[in-house]
């Protein structure tokens, strides 16, 4: 019994010190070593580990010429894995520290694309839609001859439509709880007059989402929503005891 215990403790100690020695070796490496580790981790699909290697590269080689490229690689990698907030973080870092004028244009385009791709369901994040619209409009004004202009313009049009769908969803909610003035207020918000809103068709909600979220006009749990002023938009103001607008 004692022999087994000694062998077990010896094995645990060996594994512990082996792990420690391996960790000890992972510092004070050349910049190209950390850069290679970043690329290797991304190739393996482990973006979190790539972030750790990036921290080592940035910490040990703050002036390395490999840092700009590593920053952009991580931004694109996070976008590929649908981690759009992290993608925007690395793009902001790239713009702030490394980019020249031409590279700023590309990075700002990618930031808009990240926000756009983060909106698979436009009824979930009104603030993100508004931020994406502002950045897209700013991009068009700042870079009227950009090679990305048409792409940004297309995304902006879709964002306007998403914003309109959200307003219509809010209006439908107010209609269901008998708040006609609030419903009329949100239906009167048309982001762009040049869009023929009467020709716009509502996007179809997949059945597996419709079960839980409804189609934007009604839902199976509508009868659970109380007819009280607790269900109001943060943008509404009190008109009288029975109505908001």
């Amino acid at each position: 019994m004692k022999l087994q215990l000694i062998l077990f403790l010896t094995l645990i100690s060996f594994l512990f010190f082996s792990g420690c020695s391996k960790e000890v070796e992972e510092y004070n490496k050349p910049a190209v070593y950390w850069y290679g580790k970043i690329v290797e981790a991304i190739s393996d699909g482990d973006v979190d580990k790539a972030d750790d290697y990036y921290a080592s590269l940035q910490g040990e080689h703050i002036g390395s010429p490999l840092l700009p490229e590593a920053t952009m690689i991580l931004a694109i990698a996070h976008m590929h894995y649908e981690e759009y907030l992290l993608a925007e973080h690395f793009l902001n870092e790239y713009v702030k520290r490394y980019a020249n004028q031409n590279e700023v244009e590309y990075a700002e385009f990618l930031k808009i694309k990240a926000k756009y791709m983060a909106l698979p369901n436009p009824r979930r994040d009104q603030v993100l839609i508004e931020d994406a619209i502002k950045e897209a409009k700013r991009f068009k004004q700042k870079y009227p001859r950009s090679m990305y202009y048409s792409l940004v313009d297309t995304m902006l049009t879709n964002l306007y439509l998403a914003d309109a769908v959200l307003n219509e969803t809010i209006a439908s909610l107010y209609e269901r709880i008998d708040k006609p003035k609030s419903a009329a207020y949100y239906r009167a918000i048309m982001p762009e007059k040049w869009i023929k809103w009467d020709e716009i068709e509502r996007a179809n909600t997949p059945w597996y989402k419709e079960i839980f979220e409804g189609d934007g006009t009604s839902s199976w749990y509508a009868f659970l929503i109380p007819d009280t002023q607790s269900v109001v938009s943060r943008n509404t103001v009190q008109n009288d005891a029975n109505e908001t607008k």
Side-chain angles (χ1 to χ4, degrees):
M1 183 66 180
K2 288 183 179 180
L3 179 60
Q4 291 176 341
L5 180 61
I6 292 171
L7 290 174
F8 176 75
L9 292 175
T10 302
L11 178 61
I12 293 296
S13 300
F14 174 77
L15 292 174
F16 176 77
F17 288 111
S18 296
C20 289
S21 62
K22 184 177 180 181
E23 292 298 324
V24 167
E25 293 174 359
E26 295 292 304
Y27 72 93
N28 196 24
K29 298 288 187 180
V32 68
Y33 173 84
W34 296 121
Y35 181 86
K37 284 290 188 179
I38 291 170
V39 174
E40 181 182 344
I42 292 173
S43 299
D44 293 338
D46 194 343
V47 190
D48 291 337
K49 185 178 286 186
D51 288 345
D52 292 338
Y53 290 135
Y54 177 85
S56 296
L57 173 61
Q58 193 176 45
E60 294 184 8
H61 305 279
I62 191 64
S64 172
L66 294 173
L67 264 174
E69 188 173 346
T71 305
M72 180 57 75
I73 287 174
L74 277 167
I76 294 173
H78 281 293
M79 191 178 297
H80 175 76
Y81 287 102
E82 300 182 355
E83 296 173 343
Y84 300 113
L85 289 177
L86 285 170
E88 188 172 0
H89 163 75
F90 281 101
L91 288 168
N92 285 332
E93 187 79 1
Y94 184 80
V95 169
K96 183 172 64 176
R97 293 177 178 271
Y98 311 118
N100 60 37
Q101 186 57 41
N102 292 332
E103 293 165 343
V104 167
E105 178 185 337
Y106 178 60
E108 290 184 356
F109 161 71
L110 288 181
K111 284 172 61 178
I112 296 168
K113 183 179 178 181
K115 278 188 169 64
Y116 179 80
M117 294 177 68
L119 288 166
N121 189 330
R123 297 201 298 271
R124 289 181 179 168
D125 201 327
Q126 186 176 18
V127 174
L128 189 58
I129 292 175
E130 292 174 355
D131 288 347
I133 288 174
K134 288 177 183 176
E135 289 198 18
K137 290 171 70 175
R138 190 182 303 119
F139 184 94
K140 288 178 63 178
Q141 292 174 355
K142 189 175 180 180
Y143 306 107
R145 297 182 180 178
S146 172
M147 63 183 295
Y148 310 111
Y149 187 95
S150 296
L151 291 172
V152 172
D153 193 45
T154 300
M155 288 189 284
L156 181 58
T157 301
N158 288 334
L159 288 166
Y160 283 142
L161 298 177
D163 194 33
V165 167
L166 180 60
N167 288 331
E168 176 60 30
T169 300
I170 296 172
S172 299
L173 169 62
Y174 277 122
E175 214 168 48
R176 293 200 300 273
I177 60 175
D178 195 25
K179 305 289 184 183
K181 288 187 178 180
S182 297
Y185 170 81
Y186 278 96
R187 287 211 169 96
I189 301 175
M190 295 297 178
E192 290 297 313
K193 300 300 182 183
W194 52 267
I195 297 177
K196 297 181 180 179
W197 295 104
D198 56 337
E199 297 181 6
I200 302 299
E201 295 182 7
R202 180 185 291 272
N204 293 324
T205 303
W207 65 267
Y208 53 87
K209 289 185 178 180
E210 187 175 341
I211 293 174
F212 301 100
E213 301 178 356
D215 62 359
T217 60
S218 62
S219 56
W220 65 266
Y221 54 83
F223 68 94
L224 297 173
I225 300 176
D227 187 15
T228 68
Q229 291 187 3
S230 62
V231 187
V232 294
S233 166
R234 65 181 179 180
N235 296 321
T236 60
V237 294
Q238 297 296 326
N239 183 27
D240 54 43
N242 300 316
E243 183 61 275
T244 60
K245 66 178 182 178

